[in-house]
Amino acid sequence: MIGRPRVHHALTDSTNERAKELAASGAVNGTLVTADEQSAGRGRQGREWVAPARSAVLMSVLLREFDALLPLRAAVAAAETCGSEEIKWPNDVWLGGRKVAGILVEGRPAEGWAVLGIGVNVVAVEFPAGLDAVALDDGRSVDAVLQALLVSLDRWLGADDVLRAWRERDALKGRGVSWGEGSGTAAGIDDSGALLVDTASGRTALQAGEVHLTL
Ligand code: BTN
């Protein structure tokens, strides 16, 4: 069961950091760390994740059983929780073309653990200028969204049909994308979760973590 035991912090630097400490000290699979506020919340590719206190789900769960599709599984669970039909590869969840939830997976697969960090904007706030973000603002409390997310994670972390569910929400398919070395048209994902892109020189597969994608 994902979410037990649960450690809650009023303020911490990053729930992913706390969960990694717990991983090193032998905490059990499913241990959950939450916070009202983070002073150094982190996003993918060195970005920061900023949310005013009690405006967002800020959670990290320690997993000792997972597979290579974990980032996509988490995206489907977060999208389901948010009522979103839009996932931007690999795991940004959008509502109406703006980001409502983000996912940061860190860990040591060789040591048999991963920390799955998820942030969901719940309460409407003034987002920093230039940040294309949106909040759920659907009347649910932060804790209600967290509980729904845990139920979805329980389902999708072990589901056989996660690639189908992810593909149904593929927000990039058919859109132009570019990255450091190239550009092309997004053409879905392969069964490993790599992004397929049709370029002038043929089809290529991009691995998450290796490329920074621009739309
Ligand atoms: C991204 O969109 O780039 C990923 C954002 C992940 C944010 C969450 S909030 C809870 C957990 N703790 C962190 O420091 N980051 C993740």
Side-chain angles (χ1 to χ4, degrees), residues 9-23:
H9 298 270
L11 173 66
T12 191
D13 52 357
S14 159
T15 56
N16 268 32
E17 283 308 308
R18 299 287 76 72
K20 286 198 276 184
E21 282 175 5
L22 289 169

PDB file of all heavy atoms in Angstrom, residues 9-23:
ATOM      1  N   HIS A   9       5.895  17.187   6.915  1.00  0.00           N
ATOM      2  CA  HIS A   9       6.689  18.341   7.358  1.00  0.00           C
ATOM      3  C   HIS A   9       5.899  19.617   7.068  1.00  0.00           C
ATOM      4  O   HIS A   9       5.353  19.763   5.967  1.00  0.00           O
ATOM      5  CB  HIS A   9       8.003  18.433   6.589  1.00  0.00           C
ATOM      6  CG  HIS A   9       8.908  17.252   6.785  1.00  0.00           C
ATOM      7  ND1 HIS A   9       9.845  17.186   7.789  1.00  0.00           N
ATOM      8  CD2 HIS A   9       8.996  16.091   6.098  1.00  0.00           C
ATOM      9  CE1 HIS A   9      10.484  16.033   7.718  1.00  0.00           C
ATOM     10  NE2 HIS A   9      10.002  15.339   6.704  1.00  0.00           N
ATOM     11  N   ALA A  10       5.857  20.531   8.049  1.00  0.00           N
ATOM     12  CA  ALA A  10       5.277  21.844   7.759  1.00  0.00           C
ATOM     13  C   ALA A  10       6.151  22.544   6.721  1.00  0.00           C
ATOM     14  O   ALA A  10       5.657  23.159   5.770  1.00  0.00           O
ATOM     15  CB  ALA A  10       5.176  22.665   9.043  1.00  0.00           C
ATOM     16  N   LEU A  11       7.471  22.449   6.910  1.00  0.00           N
ATOM     17  CA  LEU A  11       8.424  23.066   5.979  1.00  0.00           C
ATOM     18  C   LEU A  11       9.641  22.166   5.867  1.00  0.00           C
ATOM     19  O   LEU A  11      10.196  21.735   6.881  1.00  0.00           O
ATOM     20  CB  LEU A  11       8.849  24.448   6.500  1.00  0.00           C
ATOM     21  CG  LEU A  11       9.959  25.161   5.726  1.00  0.00           C
ATOM     22  CD1 LEU A  11       9.501  25.532   4.323  1.00  0.00           C
ATOM     23  CD2 LEU A  11      10.415  26.419   6.473  1.00  0.00           C
ATOM     24  N   THR A  12      10.047  21.890   4.657  1.00  0.00           N
ATOM     25  CA  THR A  12      11.306  21.173   4.448  1.00  0.00           C
ATOM     26  C   THR A  12      11.922  21.693   3.161  1.00  0.00           C
ATOM     27  O   THR A  12      11.284  22.431   2.403  1.00  0.00           O
ATOM     28  CB  THR A  12      11.093  19.635   4.404  1.00  0.00           C
ATOM     29  OG1 THR A  12      12.374  18.991   4.446  1.00  0.00           O
ATOM     30  CG2 THR A  12      10.355  19.205   3.154  1.00  0.00           C
ATOM     31  N   ASP A  13      13.196  21.334   2.912  1.00  0.00           N
ATOM     32  CA  ASP A  13      13.790  21.831   1.664  1.00  0.00           C
ATOM     33  C   ASP A  13      13.138  21.157   0.464  1.00  0.00           C
ATOM     34  O   ASP A  13      12.627  21.810  -0.440  1.00  0.00           O
ATOM     35  CB  ASP A  13      15.319  21.665   1.676  1.00  0.00           C
ATOM     36  CG  ASP A  13      15.783  20.260   2.023  1.00  0.00           C
ATOM     37  OD1 ASP A  13      14.941  19.395   2.323  1.00  0.00           O
ATOM     38  OD2 ASP A  13      17.003  20.011   1.980  1.00  0.00           O
ATOM     39  N   SER A  14      13.122  19.820   0.472  1.00  0.00           N
ATOM     40  CA  SER A  14      12.529  19.076  -0.636  1.00  0.00           C
ATOM     41  C   SER A  14      12.075  17.714  -0.097  1.00  0.00           C
ATOM     42  O   SER A  14      12.866  17.012   0.547  1.00  0.00           O
ATOM     43  CB  SER A  14      13.568  18.883  -1.749  1.00  0.00           C
ATOM     44  OG  SER A  14      13.214  17.805  -2.589  1.00  0.00           O
ATOM     45  N   THR A  15      10.830  17.356  -0.381  1.00  0.00           N
ATOM     46  CA  THR A  15      10.354  16.048   0.098  1.00  0.00           C
ATOM     47  C   THR A  15      11.159  14.914  -0.543  1.00  0.00           C
ATOM     48  O   THR A  15      11.313  13.856   0.059  1.00  0.00           O
ATOM     49  CB  THR A  15       8.850  15.873  -0.195  1.00  0.00           C
ATOM     50  OG1 THR A  15       8.615  16.055  -1.599  1.00  0.00           O
ATOM     51  CG2 THR A  15       8.005  16.837   0.615  1.00  0.00           C
ATOM     52  N   ASN A  16      11.681  15.135  -1.759  1.00  0.00           N
ATOM     53  CA  ASN A  16      12.522  14.091  -2.359  1.00  0.00           C
ATOM     54  C   ASN A  16      13.776  13.848  -1.519  1.00  0.00           C
ATOM     55  O   ASN A  16      14.218  12.709  -1.355  1.00  0.00           O
ATOM     56  CB  ASN A  16      12.929  14.479  -3.792  1.00  0.00           C
ATOM     57  CG  ASN A  16      11.956  13.935  -4.827  1.00  0.00           C
ATOM     58  OD1 ASN A  16      10.757  13.808  -4.562  1.00  0.00           O
ATOM     59  ND2 ASN A  16      12.455  13.627  -6.020  1.00  0.00           N
ATOM     60  N   GLU A  17      14.351  14.936  -0.978  1.00  0.00           N
ATOM     61  CA  GLU A  17      15.546  14.776  -0.130  1.00  0.00           C
ATOM     62  C   GLU A  17      15.222  13.971   1.114  1.00  0.00           C
ATOM     63  O   GLU A  17      15.970  13.072   1.511  1.00  0.00           O
ATOM     64  CB  GLU A  17      16.110  16.152   0.267  1.00  0.00           C
ATOM     65  CG  GLU A  17      16.875  16.840  -0.814  1.00  0.00           C
ATOM     66  CD  GLU A  17      17.960  15.946  -1.417  1.00  0.00           C
ATOM     67  OE1 GLU A  17      18.786  15.377  -0.669  1.00  0.00           O
ATOM     68  OE2 GLU A  17      17.963  15.789  -2.654  1.00  0.00           O
ATOM     69  N   ARG A  18      14.090  14.295   1.748  1.00  0.00           N
ATOM     70  CA  ARG A  18      13.700  13.569   2.967  1.00  0.00           C
ATOM     71  C   ARG A  18      13.461  12.091   2.643  1.00  0.00           C
ATOM     72  O   ARG A  18      13.826  11.209   3.408  1.00  0.00           O
ATOM     73  CB  ARG A  18      12.431  14.163   3.586  1.00  0.00           C
ATOM     74  CG  ARG A  18      12.519  15.623   4.036  1.00  0.00           C
ATOM     75  CD  ARG A  18      13.357  15.815   5.292  1.00  0.00           C
ATOM     76  NE  ARG A  18      14.791  15.718   5.027  1.00  0.00           N
ATOM     77  CZ  ARG A  18      15.500  16.649   4.367  1.00  0.00           C
ATOM     78  NH1 ARG A  18      14.924  17.730   3.924  1.00  0.00           N
ATOM     79  NH2 ARG A  18      16.782  16.479   4.159  1.00  0.00           N
ATOM     80  N   ALA A  19      12.811  11.824   1.506  1.00  0.00           N
ATOM     81  CA  ALA A  19      12.521  10.429   1.154  1.00  0.00           C
ATOM     82  C   ALA A  19      13.813   9.671   0.838  1.00  0.00           C
ATOM     83  O   ALA A  19      13.931   8.482   1.158  1.00  0.00           O
ATOM     84  CB  ALA A  19      11.559  10.377  -0.031  1.00  0.00           C
ATOM     85  N   LYS A  20      14.777  10.342   0.234  1.00  0.00           N
ATOM     86  CA  LYS A  20      16.059   9.675  -0.053  1.00  0.00           C
ATOM     87  C   LYS A  20      16.789   9.323   1.245  1.00  0.00           C
ATOM     88  O   LYS A  20      17.385   8.252   1.354  1.00  0.00           O
ATOM     89  CB  LYS A  20      16.930  10.558  -0.956  1.00  0.00           C
ATOM     90  CG  LYS A  20      16.425  10.576  -2.395  1.00  0.00           C
ATOM     91  CD  LYS A  20      17.474  11.065  -3.378  1.00  0.00           C
ATOM     92  CE  LYS A  20      17.504  12.559  -3.442  1.00  0.00           C
ATOM     93  NZ  LYS A  20      18.447  13.066  -4.451  1.00  0.00           N
ATOM     94  N   GLU A  21      16.703  10.211   2.227  1.00  0.00           N
ATOM     95  CA  GLU A  21      17.290   9.893   3.543  1.00  0.00           C
ATOM     96  C   GLU A  21      16.625   8.659   4.140  1.00  0.00           C
ATOM     97  O   GLU A  21      17.292   7.786   4.697  1.00  0.00           O
ATOM     98  CB  GLU A  21      17.094  11.071   4.515  1.00  0.00           C
ATOM     99  CG  GLU A  21      18.047  12.214   4.316  1.00  0.00           C
ATOM    100  CD  GLU A  21      17.705  13.386   5.229  1.00  0.00           C
ATOM    101  OE1 GLU A  21      16.784  13.287   6.076  1.00  0.00           O
ATOM    102  OE2 GLU A  21      18.369  14.411   5.063  1.00  0.00           O
ATOM    103  N   LEU A  22      15.289   8.622   4.025  1.00  0.00           N
ATOM    104  CA  LEU A  22      14.566   7.473   4.576  1.00  0.00           C
ATOM    105  C   LEU A  22      14.935   6.194   3.829  1.00  0.00           C
ATOM    106  O   LEU A  22      15.036   5.115   4.431  1.00  0.00           O
ATOM    107  CB  LEU A  22      13.055   7.724   4.507  1.00  0.00           C
ATOM    108  CG  LEU A  22      12.549   8.789   5.487  1.00  0.00           C
ATOM    109  CD1 LEU A  22      11.104   9.168   5.183  1.00  0.00           C
ATOM    110  CD2 LEU A  22      12.667   8.286   6.925  1.00  0.00           C
ATOM    111  N   ALA A  23      15.149   6.311   2.521  1.00  0.00           N
ATOM    112  CA  ALA A  23      15.571   5.132   1.742  1.00  0.00           C
ATOM    113  C   ALA A  23      16.883   4.592   2.280  1.00  0.00           C
ATOM    114  O   ALA A  23      17.049   3.380   2.488  1.00  0.00           O
ATOM    115  CB  ALA A  23      15.717   5.501   0.263  1.00  0.00           C
TER     116      ALA A  23
END
